[in-house]
Amino acid sequence: MNTLLELRNIEKKYGDDVILSKVSFTLTKGTAIAIIGHSGGGKTTLLSIMGLLQRATSGNVLVDAIDIGGLDSYQLAKLRGQYLGFVFQRARLINSLTALENVMAPAWFIRRGDNMEQQAKDLLERFGLSHRLDHKPQELSLGQLRRISLARALLLKPPILLADEPTNDLDPVLAKEVAECLLTARTEGAGVVIVTHDPNLANQADQTFRLEDGTLKPIVYNNAAS
Amino acid sequence: MLLLIWKSLLHRRLQSLTIVGSIAVGAAIVFSILAVYNGVSSGMELSKQRMGADIVIVPFGETLEPSLLLFGGAAANSYMPKELVDGVRAVKGVHSVTPQFFTHSLSADCHDIGTKNRMIGYDPASDWILAPWLKKVHKTELKDDEVILGAKVPVWAQNKISILGKWYNIIAIAEETGTTLDYSLLVSMNEARRVVSGDRTLKKVWDKMGPPSGLISTILVKVDDDANIDKVVSDIQEVGLMKPIVAAEVKKRIADQFTVFAILIGGIGFLTVLTSLLHLFSRFYTLTWERQAEWGLYLAFGATGRDIGLVIVGEAAAVSLTGSIIGLLLGSGLYKGSLTLLEAYQSFPFVHPSWGFLASIAIGIIIVFTGLGALAAWLPAHQGSRIDPSTVMTRGEFD
């Protein structure tokens, strides 16, 4: 079974406002999906639903064939820890922690204690940050913060990686670097969902959708890159 | 998670220190109040059991405060004729009497005791104060080179003590009584009179009142159980020029003063603790909302609501624990300082609390303050644990 994440007829309403309507798609292992659309169009809401951070008004979300509809908040938290990695729009690092500690933070809650520190160091080294392990976020550049955020998302080797505007505000060189890091996760079998405004990034995905008027429309099909 | 708590507290260092400081002050006040109050209560109780006198009669011209005479160990060199003892013994309602003769030790050379303590000569024929200690060492009376030391008299050698250049064998060290006896050197009446007869500063007294062998300093009186103590006091005053002090009244006055003191300082302590807890509550309540995005991030990592609650309660418990431990250190200083201050103002029966008692209130304060700190953070923790995980996607930057 290659399906990691499946959305079936997802609908999301805030009061009378329909944000998402009949959204369906499937994310399989080793593939990347890009979702583009204008600001305020519901992309972040959709990503939140995929990330089990909020519930849809109707429809089904299945993670590794598990329908999350009947799960309570504790079970959802456990599922997030087991299956999902997030790269947020901003780096979202904890200012009181060093770069290394920020990368290790997810492991503190999931309690996968085996050699996590070494794995975190390896990731930071891979992203060229081995000399910044003990630096606090306020001592680092924007690009470094993004790479730390990415390392944090990859630490627990999540099967599903969700990225919200990962290249937003970055210069082209840095954006390319972050995109490469993100899409490399496909080679390790992860499914990647990227919400972006960046057409270059969207083009590198295996499949691209446009979120328009609450519905998801496939617009471009790229050749599989994995 | 412990690292997360520690780092977060360090990151908000000033806020954390403010709360630690206010909790420490509260804990210090509570600790010192409990220790002082326990010492006074024990002193009151012990003095009741061991002092054994209902009325203490001193010479008419004695100007020292009754509390200082009974509990302070003040060296009193005032005397009255020993014939008054028989007159007092004959008063109706008096059960028993025993005279004592006071002088004081002075530092005469380098081997001496080094402090000025009251020296009490007792009357073996009528005494009931020293009898229990003498009985313990299988003696009926003290020889002229023997001494029983009060519990708070400093001792330099194991079995001997030098007083005014003469070496005495220490027969026993009395248990703490919470009274003036704790600061006294108890010797035979003859020895006390011999010591004082050589004191040139008192020559004028002997010239005026006669030789020490015909004088006493105090008469301790026990009254019958059914006697009217006011009537007994009035009748004693008829016997001659004397100043009877009703020990129970002095104790009651001191007890009343301490109750007021304890209520006043205890009230301040309570308000300090309450303020600290409100401060703690308000800080964590505010932080819970300010840190919504951070909680959301942890929830996205897979943390449960319970984990978030534990982080918040853990931070509160950590500052409360630190504050209460620092408070205990401050409290022991405050205890000694306030005791010195109180003793300078008023003599009172006091028995130092045992280490066991101090340890138990220290542990109690740590548990109660840490528990209350955690409790104050319970509501913020409860709210923190219910935060919508999607806030991580929508909220601004973190602190």
Side-chain angles (χ1 to χ4, degrees):
Chain A
M1 182 77 175
N2 281 331
T3 302
L4 289 169
L5 177 68
E6 189 178 354
L7 270 61
R8 292 181 190 160
N9 294 317
I10 292 296
E11 189 173 63
K12 182 70 181 176
K13 289 180 183 174
Y14 292 120
D16 292 335
D17 291 341
V18 179
I19 309 298
L20 301 171
S21 174
K22 297 191 185 308
V23 171
S24 299
F25 80 86
T26 301
L27 177 71
T28 54
K29 284 180 184 172
T31 62
I33 288 175
I35 299 171
I36 59 171
H38 62 80
S39 298
K43 299 191 298 298
T44 299
T45 301
L46 178 59
L47 204 65
S48 293
I49 291 169
M50 284 189 256
L52 317 184
L53 297 172
Q54 63 175 296
R55 290 182 188 273
T57 309
S58 64
N60 301 90
V61 177
L62 288 85
V63 176
D64 202 12
I66 302 165
D67 190 335
I68 64 132
L71 304 184
D72 61 23
S73 59
Y74 179 85
Q75 291 167 317
L76 285 179
K78 293 295 165 196
L79 215 55
R80 279 195 296 270
Q82 192 181 347
Y83 283 94
L84 296 160
F86 293 89
V87 179
F88 298 104
Q89 203 173 106
R90 300 181 193 89
R92 297 284 193 217
L93 300 183
I94 309 293
N95 286 338
S96 57
L97 304 179
T98 63
L100 180 63
E101 289 162 350
N102 263 290
V103 175
M104 288 174 62
W108 294 340
F109 295 102
I110 305 307
R111 297 178 187 88
R112 284 188 211 165
D114 299 340
N115 219 8
M116 279 295 136
E117 186 170 340
Q118 190 52 52
Q119 289 185 44
K121 283 179 181 171
D122 292 345
L123 275 168
L124 285 170
E125 189 177 354
R126 183 174 138 196
F127 293 143
L129 290 166
S130 54
H131 60 301
R132 294 278 189 259
L133 299 183
D134 297 324
H135 286 239
K136 295 276 181 72
Q138 45 282 38
E139 299 160 355
L140 299 167
S141 69
L142 194 59
Q144 289 170 330
L145 297 178
R146 287 293 174 90
R147 282 180 279 164
I148 292 167
S149 168
L150 201 52
R152 182 179 65 188
L154 296 171
L155 178 76
L156 298 177
K157 300 185 174 63
I160 303 165
L161 200 55
L162 305 176
D164 188 14
E165 305 278 12
T167 57
N168 201 21
D169 302 329
L170 298 183
D171 64 58
V173 176
L174 202 54
K176 186 168 178 284
E177 190 183 322
V178 169
E180 277 174 11
C181 292
L182 194 58
L183 292 166
T184 305
R186 285 182 300 188
T187 59
E188 292 166 9
V192 183
V193 178
I194 304 166
V195 164
T196 184
H197 279 112
D198 180 354
N200 290 330
L201 179 58
N203 275 334
Q204 294 176 63
D206 302 302
Q207 198 175 9
T208 303
F209 293 93
R210 178 183 294 280
L211 187 62
E212 204 167 60
D213 300 329
T215 58
L216 208 55
K217 296 167 184 166
I219 56 167
V220 177
Y221 290 94
N222 296 315
N223 291 328
S226 56
Chain B
M1 199 178 287
L2 287 176
L3 180 71
L4 194 62
I5 290 170
W6 171 243
K7 290 278 183 173
S8 173
L9 291 174
L10 278 187
H11 184 60
R12 297 165 182 87
R13 200 169 291 136
L14 188 63
Q15 290 165 300
S16 304
L17 283 177
T18 311
I19 297 180
V20 165
S22 61
I23 288 173
V25 170
I29 292 175
V30 170
F31 178 82
S32 58
I33 287 284
L34 287 175
V36 170
Y37 200 77
N38 175 269
V40 174
S41 303
S42 306
M44 290 281 182
E45 191 53 39
L46 267 181
S47 66
K48 206 183 289 175
Q49 289 169 11
R50 291 180 180 163
M51 189 175 168
D54 300 312
I55 300 168
V56 178
I57 302 170
V58 293
F60 185 71
E62 179 57 64
T63 52
L64 280 173
E65 263 286 301
S67 59
L68 197 59
L69 274 166
L70 296 185
F71 308 117
N77 286 311
S78 53
Y79 302 96
M80 55 190 169
K82 68 177 180 183
E83 288 73 26
L84 289 171
V85 176
D86 292 332
V88 173
R89 189 176 282 128
V91 169
K92 195 182 171 198
V94 168
H95 179 268
S96 47
V97 296
T98 187
Q100 291 183 340
F101 186 95
F102 295 167
T103 182
H104 53 75
S105 65
L106 281 172
S107 183
D109 59 40
C110 61
H111 297 295
D112 252 18
I113 187 168
T115 57
K116 189 173 178 179
N117 287 82
R118 184 185 292 189
M119 204 170 188
I120 299 177
Y122 82 107
D123 174 31
S126 58
D127 171 77
W128 67 81
I129 305 290
L130 269 72
W133 292 308
L134 285 171
K135 198 176 171 186
K136 270 190 182 174
V137 291
H138 309 294
K139 277 182 162 288
T140 51
E141 60 184 271
L142 290 176
K143 292 179 192 164
D144 289 348
D145 63 347
E146 292 176 335
V147 64
I148 291 178
L149 300 184
K152 292 175 183 170
V153 175
V155 185
W156 310 112
Q158 192 69 29
N159 299 317
K160 285 181 179 290
I161 188 167
S162 173
I163 304 164
L164 294 165
K166 178 179 174 180
W167 284 96
Y168 291 80
N169 293 316
I170 301 170
I171 296 304
I173 293 174
E175 287 169 43
E176 214 168 356
T177 64
T179 72
T180 223
L181 288 175
D182 294 343
Y183 305 94
S184 302
L185 309 153
L186 302 156
V187 294
S188 69
M189 185 82 87
N190 286 343
E191 181 58 16
R193 284 173 172 152
R194 184 198 67 75
V195 167
V196 86
S197 62
D199 190 337
R200 286 180 199 167
T201 59
L202 293 173
K203 189 173 180 303
K204 272 193 273 184
V205 178
W206 316 140
D207 290 346
K208 186 182 169 190
M209 300 193 71
S213 58
L215 301 174
I216 54 168
S217 296
T218 186
I219 305 169
L220 304 180
V221 180
K222 268 188 189 174
V223 299
D224 292 331
D225 289 343
D226 57 351
N228 178 338
I229 201 158
D230 292 335
K231 175 78 170 61
V232 173
V233 167
S234 167
D235 290 348
I236 286 172
Q237 283 170 322
E238 296 290 320
V239 171
L241 276 178
M242 291 177 287
K243 185 177 172 183
I245 299 165
V246 180
E249 280 178 10
V250 179
K251 286 179 199 168
K252 185 179 179 308
R253 184 164 56 80
I254 293 170
D256 289 347
Q257 286 172 348
F258 267 92
T259 305
V260 171
F261 162 79
I263 290 171
L264 189 70
I265 305 297
I268 293 170
F270 174 75
L271 287 176
T272 310
V273 173
L274 192 66
T275 309
S276 310
L277 292 174
L278 286 173
H279 187 183
L280 193 78
F281 172 79
S282 116
R283 187 223 164 165
F284 280 92
Y285 191 82
T286 311
L287 274 184
T288 298
W289 293 112
E290 285 174 358
R291 293 167 69 185
Q292 275 189 84
E294 185 181 337
W295 310 140
L297 180 71
Y298 298 148
L299 290 169
F301 291 161
T304 61
R306 186 172 159 271
D307 292 329
I308 304 302
L310 279 176
V311 170
I312 297 170
V313 169
E315 285 187 23
V319 290
S320 307
L321 180 66
T322 310
S324 54
I325 290 171
I326 293 172
L328 289 176
L329 297 174
L330 291 176
S332 58
L334 188 64
Y335 161 62
K336 284 179 183 162
S338 55
L339 200 56
T340 307
L341 199 68
L342 287 167
E343 281 175 340
Y345 165 73
Q346 162 89 67
S347 292
F348 49 87
F350 190 85
V351 174
H352 284 286
S354 66
W355 285 110
F357 176 78
L358 292 176
S360 63
I361 58 170
I363 292 167
I365 284 172
I366 288 175
I367 292 172
V368 168
F369 275 67
T370 307
L372 286 175
L375 197 65
W378 182 83
L379 182 62
H382 180 66
Q383 290 181 329
S385 70
R386 292 163 63 92
I387 277 171
D388 181 358
S390 68
T391 49
V392 70
M393 308 292 275
T394 54
R395 299 289 292 213
E397 287 298 346
F398 300 170
D399 169 28

